[in-house]
Amino acid sequence: MSHTAHIRSHRKPRRSASSLAMRTGVAGGVLSTLAVAGAAGSANAAEPVTQTLELPTLTADLATQAAQSADATQQAAANYQLQAERDAAAAKAAKQAKADLADAKQKAAEAKKKAEEAARKEAAERASRSTTRIALTADDTSGSTSASTGTSTGSSTATGSAAAVISFVKAQLGKAYVSGATGPSAYDCSGLVQTAFKQVGVSLPRVSQDQSTAGTQVSLSNLQPGDILYWGSAGSAYHVAVYVGDGMFIGAQNPSSGVSEHPLSYDQPTGAVRVL
């Protein structure tokens, strides 16, 4: 027997084929697992790429929605502003209408007041004329020509300057009435009287108010041709004419009749003055 027969060898024992096969299988499994994990990791790593590619579509949608929202907000703001303007305009119109109504009421009240004053004035003038007519009738009755008394209402025949005045006013018959006119083609009432007396050298005031106090006051029952008749009160007369005798007078009456001749009963005068 060799002296080395019982000495343990320091060499590692060789691995058997089965052991290697097992290790190879384990290694293959590990590699397979790593391969699967790697594939899975690769798949997981690929997902963000897909999401990143879809981002532009999502961003465009959001932009469209944002733009639509902005348009809707702008439209709503415009509608609110338009409504506010309409409300302001309606309020302004209502305020103006209220002011116009108040102004119209005030003007209507003023017009009514003026109409009432004019009616009162006209009524007073009519009453004055009626009173004068009554007085004149009484005077005519007492002053009428009578064979037993020999009294008379006055001469009906013009002479001298009175005849010249009457001749002038008769020559103006048919001419137009124009306010403020003094001839030769048109006259107003006081313009005719003033121009007629100017023919005989008598200077009269221009307006009827002053002409009604220019001479000596005479009663309507004692009229003479050439006397100046007036309507209204002395000093505030609104119309004048010339008495031409026989109960007639000539005057520039109004735009419709012009210079015309009428009986005293046509429009009874209030009084008379004598300047000749």
Side-chain angles (χ1 to χ4, degrees):
M1 177 179 299
S2 171
H3 64 278
T4 59
H6 296 287
I7 299 173
R8 190 178 297 269
S9 174
H10 295 285
R11 291 182 181 180
K12 294 181 180 180
R14 292 185 179 182
R15 296 176 180 173
S16 61
S18 59
S19 176
L20 291 173
M22 181 180 298
R23 291 179 181 274
T24 301
V26 171
V30 170
L31 291 175
S32 298
T33 301
L34 291 175
V36 171
S42 298
N44 290 333
E47 287 183 5
V49 175
T50 303
Q51 293 175 355
T52 301
L53 291 175
E54 294 177 357
L55 281 178
T57 303
L58 295 176
T59 301
D61 292 341
L62 290 175
T64 301
Q65 293 176 2
Q68 293 175 349
S69 178
D71 291 341
T73 301
Q74 185 176 2
Q75 184 62 42
N79 291 338
Y80 289 144
Q81 182 178 0
L82 179 60
Q83 186 61 41
E85 292 175 353
R86 289 176 177 174
D87 293 342
K92 184 177 180 181
K95 183 177 180 181
Q96 185 62 42
K98 185 176 180 181
D100 292 343
L101 179 61
D103 185 56
K105 288 182 177 179
Q106 182 179 358
K107 290 182 178 179
E110 292 175 354
K112 182 179 179 181
K113 183 177 179 180
K114 289 181 179 180
E116 291 174 349
E117 290 177 353
R120 284 195 295 268
K121 183 178 179 181
E122 179 65 20
E125 291 176 353
R126 287 179 180 176
S128 177
R129 292 178 185 177
S130 297
T131 302
T132 302
R133 288 191 183 100
I134 294 173
L136 181 62
T137 301
D139 290 342
D140 286 345
T141 301
S142 62
S144 296
T145 302
S146 172
S148 59
T149 61
T151 58
S152 173
T153 58
S155 173
S156 295
T157 304
T159 59
S161 296
V165 169
I166 293 171
S167 176
F168 177 83
V169 294
K170 285 186 176 181
Q172 312 310 309
L173 288 172
K175 292 187 177 181
Y177 174 98
V178 176
S179 179
T182 58
S185 59
Y187 300 88
D188 63 9
C189 64
S190 56
L192 175 64
V193 172
Q194 183 189 48
T195 304
F197 280 86
K198 187 183 293 185
Q199 308 306 307
V200 295
V202 176
S203 179
L204 291 178
R206 173 63 184 87
V207 296
S208 58
Q209 292 91 334
D210 297 332
Q211 290 177 3
S212 65
T213 59
T216 303
Q217 296 287 327
V218 295
S219 68
L220 296 177
S221 63
N222 194 31
L223 293 175
Q224 293 182 1
D227 287 344
I228 299 174
L229 304 176
Y230 64 83
W231 285 255
S233 58
S236 59
Y238 58 87
H239 183 61
V240 289
V242 177
Y243 180 66
V244 296
D246 297 324
M248 305 293 289
F249 70 87
I250 294 176
Q253 293 302 106
N254 50 58
S256 61
S257 60
V259 179
S260 53
E261 184 176 14
H262 299 282
L264 292 174
S265 59
Y266 171 79
D267 187 8
Q268 191 68 39
T270 304
V273 292
R274 186 168 296 157
V275 297
L276 297 176

